[in-house]
């Protein structure tokens, strides 16, 4: 089946406004230690994380690291068993860590990933997602910072892809049958 881009679901202005709010929330919450490691999960979260990190204050100790994971599955649904393709460069032991994702769907990837990271003894571990497709959840995941809750619709752009395409769009758009 062929797909084409549909309507704008979340505009670039809305995204950028919400990211400023999220950065302010995070800054306030970590005010005491004034340090945090933002862990982006490749590939989708790269766009979100690089915008989010630039809204953090200059006098805060903000680190950025990435992981690349893929969950085993039947091709359409993740099983939640995560394979690590690229691991963090730095140790997170004793650090305040926030996992940054573009989207949480079934929750299986994040849930398994959090178990892996918890075992590395961070001081704290939280989750920040741009989009929460809450209706699709198969396992409970605590989302501490959420950009937007969205219905179960196929969306692309701002890091999200369809068959590796459309990650570069500034707006989040729907995808429709051609
Ligand atoms: C997406 C997203 C999460 C996962 C969420 O990644 O970035 O990692 O799916 O799905 P779940 O909640 O059902 O586990 P994807 O595997 O599409 O990789 P990508 O970031 O490279 O696009």
């Amino acid at each position: 089946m062929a797909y084409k881009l549909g309507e704008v679901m979340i505009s670039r202005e809305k995204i950028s406004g919400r990211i400023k709010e999220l950065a302010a929330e995070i800054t306030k919450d970590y005010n005491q230690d004034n340090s945090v490691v933002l862990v982006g999960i490749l590939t989708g979260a790269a766009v979100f994380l690089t915008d989010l990190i630039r809204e953090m204050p200059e006098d805060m100790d903000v680190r950025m690291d990435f992981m690349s994971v893929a969950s085993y599955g039947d091709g359409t649904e993740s099983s939640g068993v995560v394979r690590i393709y690229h691991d963090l460069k730095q140790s997170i032991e004793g650090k305040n860590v926030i996992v940054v994702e573009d989207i949480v769907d079934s929750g299986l990837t994040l849930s398994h990933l959090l178990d892996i990271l918890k075992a590395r003894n961070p001081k704290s571990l939280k989750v920040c997602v741009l989009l929460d497709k809450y209706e699709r959840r198969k396992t409970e995941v605590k989302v501490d910072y959420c950009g937007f809750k969205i219905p179960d619709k196929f969306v692309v752009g701002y890091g999200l892809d369809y068959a590796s395409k459309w990650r570069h769009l500034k707006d989040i758009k729907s995808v429709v049958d051609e």
Side-chain angles (χ1 to χ4, degrees), residues 23-157:
E25 246 183 86
I26 293 170
T27 303
K28 192 165 144 256
D29 291 353
Y30 292 84
N31 177 44
Q32 207 165 355
D33 288 347
N34 211 33
S35 73
V36 70
V37 184
L38 300 177
V39 171
I41 310 306
L42 296 170
T43 305
V47 178
F48 174 39
L49 175 51
T50 51
D51 277 348
L52 179 66
I53 201 165
R54 281 174 288 172
E55 297 298 335
M56 306 294 287
E58 277 189 12
D59 63 356
M60 189 173 186
D61 181 353
V62 181
R63 313 278 169 117
M64 170 167 71
D65 209 336
F66 289 96
M67 278 180 99
S68 175
V69 303
S71 55
Y72 291 112
D74 61 9
T76 55
E77 299 228 323
S78 66
S79 64
V81 180
V82 167
R83 172 169 169 195
I84 300 176
Y85 286 99
H86 171 83
D87 208 336
L88 298 175
K89 281 192 175 162
Q90 53 197 296
S91 161
I92 55 164
E93 192 171 348
K95 303 273 175 62
N96 294 313
V97 176
I98 303 179
V99 176
V100 179
E101 266 285 26
D102 53 343
I103 189 164
V104 55
D105 191 333
S106 70
L108 292 167
T109 307
L110 206 42
S111 157
H112 194 76
L113 189 63
L114 289 173
D115 287 343
I116 293 173
L117 295 178
K118 242 178 255 164
R120 298 181 185 181
N121 300 315
K123 179 174 180 185
S124 64
L125 183 60
K126 286 192 181 183
V127 171
C128 175
V129 302
L130 181 65
L131 304 178
D132 184 352
K133 251 189 198 176
Y134 60 97
E135 292 166 340
R136 301 249 313 163
R137 205 71 95 251
K138 282 190 178 160
T139 184
E140 203 186 314
V141 179
K142 184 165 182 272
V143 175
D144 301 281
Y145 305 100
C146 170
F148 303 93
K149 290 193 173 196
I150 60 161
D152 184 13
K153 258 194 147 179
F154 189 5
V155 292
V156 294

